[in-house]
Amino acid sequence: MAKLKDLAQMEDRLVAGHGMCLGCGIPLIMKIVLRATEDPLIVANATGCLEVCTTIFPRTSWNISWVHSAFENAASTIAGVESMYQALKKKGRIPQDKKVKFLGIGGDGGTYDIGLQALSGAMERGHDIVYLCYDNNAYANTGGQRSSATPVGASATTSPSGTQSPGKLQRRKDLTKVMAAHGIPYAAQASPGRWKDLYNKAKKAFEVEGPAFLNVLCLCPTEWKYDEAKGLQLAQDAVDTCVWPLYEVENGKYKINYKPRKKKPITEWLKPQGRFRHLFKEENASVIQRIQKEIDEEWEELNRLAGFSQQK
Amino acid sequence: MKKETWKELTLGTINLNAGNSVQNLTGTWRSGKKPQFIEDKCIQCFFCWLYCPHHAIEVQGEEVKGIKYDYCTGCGMCSEVCPPKEKAIVMVKEEIKLAERSSK
Ligand SMILES: Cc1ncc(C[n+]2csc(CCOP(=O)(O)OP(=O)(O)O)c2C)c(N)n1
Ligand code: SF4
Ligand code: SF4
């Protein structure tokens, strides 16, 4: 079992001096994921907060090989790197016993939306890569436009709340399930509030042969508009309200990794965040009811899937 | 910092200076409050190390030893996640003159 004290002894693959916001959740995720393999690692990064804030020329926060090509193709970039590596191995230019791991990273905009085609292709072709999506529910780096990961009722710059609208009207895309439907060996959902679970999932993702997908909820005080010091509580509440269930799909089998003893009401998650503030006005009470109903249905559905998997 | 021009760029904008962002002192962003480490209250859980977004927790050997103020942005995460009832990291007021800060 990993201990934080031991992880802290490992070399930082992403170092200090990056420009991410006060209280940002991305560095927390990276601190764990980049330590989940001891093998050399190559990263391809889609545009977004992580990419922009860690590579402001002439500086870089990356201590390992890192590639950026465009917003929409982190998955094809890393798939290309992996193919080249396999080809060089075949030609004997890289020793047979050399182990290298490949990681593609994107935000929810770069993954759920514009990068989905590239990601789907890479997963289908079966590259031996890990793809990590840090889902902060918005296009944060360009000022908080809504993405297909933005939840119902959230106010974003392109789905603003006001007299005519209670924020975003459409449901989130359930990307983890979409990825699992590719029949890949490993797909999982994690939260930085439960670091051991995140570490175990990242380790598994690196260890399986073939493509693996990790979807990690990412705190974003800037776009979610909460007190930046209070992120950990929020990350816990996301799993305790079942807004962000922790589960994994291994070779088609669903497994729930954490079931709250008592599911918290959705308001615990909504209340501290400014992007949901308008929902607590009387006229928007039905929106909160809708959100609670949809979360309950999704949680039941997930339990059903996990139940089927047990019977298999 | 001396500004490079396009003439000094490596072809393909390749940056060979891995990890050179450590020269960016994010501590210069801090305003109003800073964390203070009280060593004898620390239970060595390493939560602050994990949750500090700016790599500003000083670790020596197997122990948390303090705060690297050159990088600390004063967000307060470390203090918030510190588990003991009497916290080993508390946020305290900090007055900084802007002139001093920018000369760093
Ligand atoms: C093709 C293209 N369109 C638009 C942009 C501008 N752009 C840069 S970052 C970004 C938002 C990225 O959002 P997301 O992937 O959610 O990552 P986050 O910023 O939240 O980390 C956009 C739209 C771009 N770089 N390339
Ligand atoms: S906008 Fe959000 S995700 Fe981007 S650096 Fe700031 S806190 Fe992090
Ligand atoms: S206040 Fe924020 S930046 Fe400073 S040491 Fe604590 S967690 Fe790190």
Side-chain angles (χ1 to χ4, degrees), chain B residues 27-91:
Chain B
T28 55
W29 305 355
R30 212 168 52 244
S31 78
K33 57 185 168 102
K34 67 172 183 184
Q36 200 169 54
F37 182 60
I38 308 152
E39 192 162 357
D40 58 342
K41 299 265 162 44
C42 176
I43 57 168
Q44 298 297 339
C45 67
F46 278 69
F47 278 5
C48 55
W49 169 80
L50 173 62
Y51 288 105
C52 168
H54 288 90
H55 308 253
I57 301 296
E58 175 90 51
V59 174
Q60 284 171 21
E62 302 214 325
E63 284 185 15
V64 169
K65 278 288 186 194
I67 314 289
K68 297 181 196 167
Y69 290 108
D70 274 351
Y71 297 111
C72 168
T73 59
C75 69
M77 279 275 242
C78 52
S79 170
E80 193 67 31
V81 302
C82 182
K85 234 196 188 107
E86 275 186 61
K87 289 181 183 291
I89 303 182
V90 290
M91 299 305 285

Coordinates of all heavy atoms in Angstrom, one line a residue, chain B residues 27-91:
Chain B
G27 N 5.7 32.6 -5.3 CA 5.5 33.3 -4.0 C 5.2 34.7 -4.1 O 4.6 35.4 -3.2
T28 N 5.7 35.3 -5.2 CA 5.4 36.8 -5.4 C 4.0 37.1 -5.6 O 3.6 38.3 -5.6 CB 6.2 37.3 -6.7 OG1 5.9 36.5 -7.8 CG2 7.7 37.2 -6.4
W29 N 3.1 36.1 -5.9 CA 1.7 36.3 -6.0 C 1.0 36.5 -4.7 O -0.2 37.0 -4.6 CB 1.0 35.2 -6.7 CG 1.5 34.7 -8.0 CD1 2.5 35.3 -8.7 CD2 1.0 33.5 -8.7 NE1 2.6 34.5 -9.9 CE2 1.8 33.5 -9.9 CE3 0.0 32.6 -8.4 CZ2 1.6 32.4 -10.8 CZ3 -0.2 31.6 -9.3 CH2 0.6 31.5 -10.5
R30 N 1.6 36.0 -3.6 CA 1.0 36.0 -2.3 C 0.5 37.3 -1.8 O 1.3 38.3 -2.0 CB 1.9 35.4 -1.3 CG 1.3 34.5 -0.2 CD 2.3 33.7 0.6 NE 3.4 34.5 1.1 CZ 4.6 34.4 0.8 NH1 5.0 33.4 -0.1 NH2 5.6 35.1 1.3
S31 N -0.7 37.4 -1.3 CA -1.1 38.7 -0.8 C -2.0 38.5 0.4 O -2.9 37.8 0.3 CB -1.7 39.6 -1.9 OG -3.0 39.2 -2.1
G32 N -1.7 39.2 1.5 CA -2.6 39.2 2.6 C -2.4 38.2 3.7 O -2.4 38.4 4.8
K33 N -2.2 36.9 3.2 CA -2.0 35.9 4.2 C -1.0 34.8 3.8 O -0.7 34.6 2.6 CB -3.4 35.2 4.5 CG -4.0 34.6 3.3 CD -5.4 34.0 3.6 CE -6.1 33.7 2.4 NZ -6.3 32.5 1.8
K34 N -0.4 34.2 4.8 CA 0.6 33.2 4.5 C 0.5 32.1 5.6 O 0.1 32.3 6.7 CB 2.0 33.8 4.5 CG 2.6 34.2 5.8 CD 4.0 34.6 5.7 CE 4.6 35.0 7.1 NZ 5.9 35.5 7.0
P35 N 0.9 30.9 5.2 CA 0.9 29.8 6.2 C 2.1 29.8 7.1 O 3.1 30.2 6.7 CB 0.9 28.5 5.3 CG 1.6 29.0 4.1 CD 1.4 30.4 3.9
Q36 N 1.8 29.4 8.4 CA 2.9 29.3 9.4 C 3.0 27.9 9.9 O 1.9 27.3 10.2 CB 2.7 30.3 10.5 CG 3.9 30.6 11.3 CD 3.6 31.8 12.2 OE1 2.6 31.7 13.0 NE2 4.4 32.8 12.1
F37 N 4.1 27.3 9.9 CA 4.3 25.9 10.2 C 4.7 25.8 11.7 O 5.7 26.4 12.1 CB 5.4 25.2 9.3 CG 5.6 23.8 9.6 CD1 4.5 22.8 9.5 CD2 6.8 23.3 10.0 CE1 4.8 21.5 9.8 CE2 7.1 21.9 10.2 CZ 6.0 21.0 10.1
I38 N 4.0 25.0 12.5 CA 4.3 24.8 13.9 C 4.8 23.3 14.1 O 3.9 22.4 14.1 CB 3.1 25.1 14.8 CG1 2.5 26.5 14.4 CG2 3.4 25.0 16.3 CD1 1.1 26.7 14.6
E39 N 6.1 23.1 14.1 CA 6.6 21.8 13.9 C 6.1 20.8 15.0 O 5.8 19.7 14.7 CB 8.2 21.9 13.9 CG 8.8 20.5 13.5 CD 10.2 20.6 13.1 OE1 10.8 21.8 13.0 OE2 10.8 19.6 12.8
D40 N 6.0 21.2 16.2 CA 5.7 20.2 17.3 C 4.2 19.8 17.2 O 3.8 18.8 17.9 CB 6.1 20.7 18.7 CG 5.5 22.0 19.1 OD1 5.0 22.7 18.1 OD2 5.4 22.4 20.3
K41 N 3.4 20.4 16.4 CA 2.0 20.0 16.3 C 1.9 19.0 15.1 O 0.8 18.4 14.9 CB 1.1 21.2 16.0 CG 1.1 22.2 17.1 CD -0.1 22.0 18.0 CE 0.1 22.6 19.4 NZ 0.5 24.0 19.5
C42 N 2.9 18.9 14.3 CA 2.8 18.2 13.0 C 2.8 16.7 13.3 O 3.7 16.2 14.0 CB 4.0 18.6 12.1 SG 4.0 17.6 10.6
I43 N 1.9 15.9 12.6 CA 1.8 14.5 12.8 C 2.4 13.8 11.6 O 2.3 12.5 11.5 CB 0.3 14.0 13.0 CG1 -0.6 14.5 11.9 CG2 -0.2 14.6 14.4 CD1 -1.9 13.8 11.8
Q44 N 3.0 14.5 10.7 CA 3.7 13.9 9.6 C 2.8 13.1 8.7 O 3.2 12.0 8.2 CB 5.0 13.1 10.0 CG 6.0 14.0 10.7 CD 6.6 15.1 9.8 OE1 6.6 15.0 8.6 NE2 7.2 16.1 10.5
C45 N 1.6 13.6 8.4 CA 0.7 12.8 7.6 C 0.9 13.1 6.1 O 0.5 12.4 5.2 CB -0.7 13.2 7.9 SG -1.1 14.9 7.5
F46 N 1.6 14.2 5.8 CA 2.0 14.6 4.4 C 0.8 15.1 3.6 O 0.9 15.2 2.3 CB 2.7 13.5 3.7 CG 4.2 13.5 4.0 CD1 4.6 13.1 5.2 CD2 5.1 13.8 3.0 CE1 6.0 13.1 5.6 CE2 6.5 13.8 3.3 CZ 6.9 13.5 4.6
F47 N -0.4 15.3 4.2 CA -1.5 15.8 3.5 C -1.2 17.2 2.8 O -1.6 17.5 1.7 CB -2.8 16.0 4.4 CG -3.5 14.7 4.6 CD1 -3.1 13.5 4.1 CD2 -4.7 14.7 5.3 CE1 -3.7 12.3 4.3 CE2 -5.4 13.5 5.5 CZ -4.9 12.4 5.0
C48 N -0.5 18.1 3.6 CA -0.2 19.4 3.0 C 0.7 19.2 1.8 O 0.5 19.9 0.8 CB 0.5 20.2 4.1 SG 2.0 19.5 4.8
W49 N 1.6 18.3 1.8 CA 2.5 18.0 0.7 C 1.6 17.7 -0.5 O 1.9 18.1 -1.6 CB 3.5 16.9 1.0 CG 4.2 16.5 -0.2 CD1 5.3 17.1 -0.8 CD2 3.9 15.3 -1.0 NE1 5.6 16.4 -2.0 CE2 4.8 15.3 -2.1 CE3 2.9 14.3 -1.0 CZ2 4.8 14.3 -3.1 CZ3 2.9 13.4 -2.0 CH2 3.8 13.4 -3.0
L50 N 0.7 16.8 -0.3 CA -0.2 16.3 -1.4 C -1.1 17.5 -2.0 O -1.2 17.6 -3.2 CB -1.1 15.2 -1.0 CG -2.1 14.7 -2.0 CD1 -1.4 14.2 -3.3 CD2 -3.0 13.6 -1.4
Y51 N -1.7 18.2 -1.1 CA -2.7 19.2 -1.5 C -2.2 20.6 -1.9 O -2.9 21.4 -2.4 CB -3.9 19.2 -0.5 CG -4.7 17.9 -0.6 CD1 -4.6 16.9 0.4 CD2 -5.5 17.7 -1.7 CE1 -5.3 15.8 0.3 CE2 -6.2 16.5 -1.8 CZ -6.1 15.5 -0.8 OH -6.8 14.4 -1.0
C52 N -0.9 20.8 -1.6 CA -0.4 22.1 -2.0 C -0.2 22.2 -3.5 O 0.6 21.5 -4.1 CB 1.0 22.4 -1.3 SG 1.8 23.8 -2.0
P53 N -0.9 23.1 -4.2 CA -0.9 23.1 -5.6 C 0.5 23.7 -6.1 O 0.8 23.5 -7.3 CB -2.0 24.1 -6.0 CG -2.8 24.2 -4.8 CD -1.9 24.0 -3.7
H54 N 1.2 24.4 -5.3 CA 2.4 25.1 -5.8 C 3.7 24.5 -5.3 O 4.7 25.2 -5.3 CB 2.3 26.6 -5.6 CG 1.3 27.2 -6.5 ND1 -0.1 27.3 -6.2 CD2 1.4 27.6 -7.8 CE1 -0.7 27.8 -7.3 NE2 0.1 28.0 -8.2
H55 N 3.7 23.2 -4.9 CA 4.9 22.5 -4.5 C 5.7 23.3 -3.5 O 6.9 23.5 -3.6 CB 5.8 22.3 -5.7 CG 5.1 21.6 -6.9 ND1 5.3 20.3 -7.2 CD2 4.1 22.1 -7.7 CE1 4.5 20.0 -8.2 NE2 3.8 21.0 -8.6
A56 N 5.0 23.9 -2.5 CA 5.6 24.8 -1.6 C 5.8 24.2 -0.2 O 6.1 24.9 0.8 CB 4.8 26.1 -1.5
I57 N 5.6 22.9 0.0 CA 5.9 22.3 1.3 C 7.3 21.7 1.3 O 7.7 20.9 0.5 CB 4.9 21.2 1.6 CG1 3.4 21.7 1.6 CG2 5.2 20.5 2.9 CD1 3.1 22.8 2.6
E58 N 8.0 22.2 2.3 CA 9.5 21.8 2.4 C 9.5 20.4 3.1 O 9.0 20.2 4.2 CB 10.1 22.8 3.4 CG 11.6 22.5 3.7 CD 12.5 23.1 2.7 OE1 12.4 24.3 2.4 OE2 13.4 22.3 2.2
V59 N 10.1 19.4 2.3 CA 10.2 18.1 2.9 C 11.7 17.8 3.0 O 12.5 18.0 2.0 CB 9.6 17.0 2.0 CG1 9.9 15.6 2.5 CG2 8.1 17.2 1.9
Q60 N 12.2 17.4 4.2 CA 13.6 17.0 4.3 C 13.6 15.6 4.8 O 13.1 15.3 5.8 CB 14.3 17.9 5.3 CG 14.6 19.3 4.7 CD 15.1 20.2 5.8 OE1 15.6 19.8 6.9 NE2 15.0 21.5 5.5
G61 N 14.2 14.7 4.0 CA 14.2 13.3 4.3 C 12.8 12.8 4.4 O 12.0 13.0 3.4
E62 N 12.4 12.2 5.5 CA 11.0 11.7 5.6 C 10.1 12.6 6.4 O 9.1 12.2 7.0 CB 11.1 10.3 6.2 CG 11.9 9.4 5.4 CD 11.4 8.0 5.5 OE1 10.8 7.5 6.5 OE2 11.5 7.3 4.4
E63 N 10.5 13.9 6.5 CA 9.7 14.8 7.4 C 9.3 16.1 6.7 O 10.1 16.7 5.9 CB 10.5 15.2 8.7 CG 10.5 14.0 9.6 CD 11.2 14.4 10.9 OE1 11.4 15.6 11.2 OE2 11.5 13.4 11.7
V64 N 8.1 16.5 7.0 CA 7.6 17.9 6.6 C 8.3 18.9 7.5 O 8.3 18.7 8.7 CB 6.1 18.0 6.7 CG1 5.7 19.5 6.5 CG2 5.4 17.1 5.6
K65 N 9.0 19.9 6.9 CA 9.8 20.7 7.8 C 9.4 22.2 7.7 O 9.9 23.0 8.5 CB 11.3 20.6 7.3 CG 12.0 19.4 7.9 CD 12.2 19.6 9.4 CE 13.1 18.5 10.0 NZ 13.0 18.5 11.4
G66 N 8.5 22.6 6.8 CA 8.1 24.0 6.7 C 7.6 24.4 5.4 O 7.1 23.5 4.6
I67 N 7.6 25.7 5.1 CA 7.0 26.2 3.9 C 8.1 26.9 3.0 O 8.9 27.6 3.6 CB 5.9 27.3 4.3 CG1 5.0 26.9 5.4 CG2 5.2 27.8 3.0 CD1 4.0 25.8 5.1
K68 N 8.0 26.6 1.7 CA 8.9 27.3 0.8 C 8.2 28.6 0.4 O 7.4 28.5 -0.6 CB 9.3 26.5 -0.4 CG 10.0 25.2 -0.1 CD 10.3 24.5 -1.4 CE 10.6 23.0 -1.2 NZ 10.6 22.2 -2.4
Y69 N 8.5 29.7 1.0 CA 7.8 30.9 0.7 C 8.1 31.5 -0.7 O 7.3 32.3 -1.2 CB 8.0 32.0 1.8 CG 7.4 31.6 3.1 CD1 8.2 31.2 4.2 CD2 6.0 31.6 3.3 CE1 7.6 30.8 5.4 CE2 5.4 31.2 4.5 CZ 6.2 30.8 5.5 OH 5.6 30.5 6.7
D70 N 9.1 31.0 -1.3 CA 9.4 31.4 -2.7 C 8.3 31.0 -3.6 O 8.1 31.6 -4.7 CB 10.8 30.9 -3.1 CG 11.9 31.7 -2.7 OD1 11.7 32.8 -2.2 OD2 13.1 31.3 -2.9
Y71 N 7.7 29.9 -3.3 CA 6.6 29.3 -4.2 C 5.2 29.4 -3.6 O 4.2 29.3 -4.4 CB 6.9 27.9 -4.5 CG 8.3 27.7 -5.2 CD1 9.4 27.1 -4.6 CD2 8.4 28.2 -6.5 CE1 10.6 27.0 -5.3 CE2 9.6 28.1 -7.2 CZ 10.7 27.5 -6.6 OH 11.9 27.4 -7.2
C72 N 5.1 29.6 -2.3 CA 3.7 29.6 -1.7 C 2.9 30.8 -2.1 O 3.4 31.9 -2.0 CB 3.9 29.6 -0.1 SG 2.4 30.0 0.7
T73 N 1.7 30.5 -2.6 CA 0.8 31.5 -3.1 C -0.2 32.0 -2.0 O -1.0 32.8 -2.3 CB 0.1 31.1 -4.4 OG1 -0.7 29.9 -4.0 CG2 1.0 30.7 -5.5
G74 N -0.2 31.3 -0.9 CA -1.1 31.7 0.2 C -2.5 31.2 0.0 O -3.4 31.9 0.6
C75 N -2.7 30.1 -0.7 CA -4.1 29.7 -1.0 C -4.8 29.2 0.2 O -6.1 29.2 0.3 CB -4.1 28.7 -2.1 SG -3.4 27.1 -1.7
G76 N -4.1 28.6 1.2 CA -4.7 28.1 2.4 C -5.1 26.7 2.4 O -5.6 26.1 3.4
M77 N -4.9 26.0 1.3 CA -5.2 24.5 1.2 C -4.5 23.7 2.3 O -5.1 22.9 3.0 CB -4.7 23.9 -0.1 CG -5.6 24.2 -1.3 SD -6.9 23.0 -1.4 CE -6.6 22.2 -2.9
C78 N -3.2 24.0 2.5 CA -2.4 23.2 3.4 C -3.0 23.3 4.8 O -3.1 22.3 5.5 CB -0.9 23.7 3.4 SG -0.8 25.4 3.7
S79 N -3.3 24.5 5.2 CA -3.9 24.6 6.6 C -5.3 24.0 6.7 O -5.6 23.3 7.7 CB -4.0 26.1 6.9 OG -4.7 26.4 8.0
E80 N -6.1 24.1 5.7 CA -7.4 23.5 5.7 C -7.4 22.0 5.8 O -8.2 21.4 6.5 CB -8.1 23.9 4.3 CG -9.6 23.7 4.3 CD -10.4 24.5 5.2 OE1 -10.0 25.7 5.5 OE2 -11.5 24.1 5.6
V81 N -6.4 21.3 5.1 CA -6.4 19.8 5.2 C -5.6 19.3 6.3 O -5.5 18.1 6.5 CB -5.8 19.3 3.8 CG1 -6.6 19.7 2.6 CG2 -4.3 19.6 3.6
C82 N -4.9 20.1 7.1 CA -4.1 19.7 8.2 C -5.0 19.1 9.3 O -5.9 19.8 9.8 CB -3.3 20.9 8.8 SG -2.2 20.4 10.1
P83 N -4.9 17.7 9.6 CA -5.9 17.1 10.4 C -5.9 17.4 11.9 O -7.0 17.3 12.5 CB -5.6 15.6 10.2 CG -4.5 15.5 9.2 CD -3.8 16.8 9.1
P84 N -4.8 17.6 12.6 CA -4.9 17.7 14.1 C -5.8 18.9 14.5 O -5.9 19.8 13.8 CB -3.5 17.9 14.6 CG -2.6 18.1 13.4 CD -3.4 17.7 12.2
K85 N -6.4 18.7 15.7 CA -7.4 19.7 16.2 C -6.7 21.0 16.3 O -7.1 22.1 15.8 CB -7.9 19.3 17.5 CG -9.4 19.3 17.5 CD -10.0 19.3 18.9 CE -11.5 19.1 18.8 NZ -12.0 17.7 19.1
E86 N -5.5 21.0 16.9 CA -4.6 22.2 16.9 C -3.7 22.1 15.7 O -2.7 21.3 15.7 CB -3.8 22.3 18.2 CG -4.5 22.9 19.3 CD -3.6 23.0 20.5 OE1 -2.6 23.8 20.4 OE2 -3.9 22.4 21.6
K87 N -4.0 22.8 14.7 CA -3.4 22.6 13.4 C -1.9 22.9 13.4 O -1.5 23.8 14.1 CB -4.1 23.5 12.3 CG -5.4 23.0 11.9 CD -6.0 23.8 10.8 CE -7.4 23.4 10.5 NZ -7.5 22.1 9.8
A88 N -1.1 22.2 12.6 CA 0.3 22.4 12.5 C 0.6 23.5 11.5 O 1.7 24.0 11.3 CB 1.1 21.2 12.2
I89 N -0.4 23.8 10.7 CA -0.3 25.0 9.7 C -1.4 25.9 9.9 O -2.6 25.5 9.8 CB -0.2 24.5 8.3 CG1 0.9 23.5 8.0 CG2 0.0 25.7 7.3 CD1 1.0 23.0 6.6
V90 N -1.1 27.1 10.3 CA -2.2 28.2 10.4 C -1.9 29.3 9.5 O -0.7 29.6 9.2 CB -2.2 28.7 11.9 CG1 -2.8 27.6 12.8 CG2 -0.9 29.2 12.4
M91 N -2.9 30.0 9.0 CA -2.8 31.1 8.1 C -2.6 32.4 9.0 O -3.4 32.6 9.9 CB -4.0 31.2 7.2 CG -4.2 30.0 6.3 SD -2.7 29.6 5.3 CE -2.7 30.9 4.0

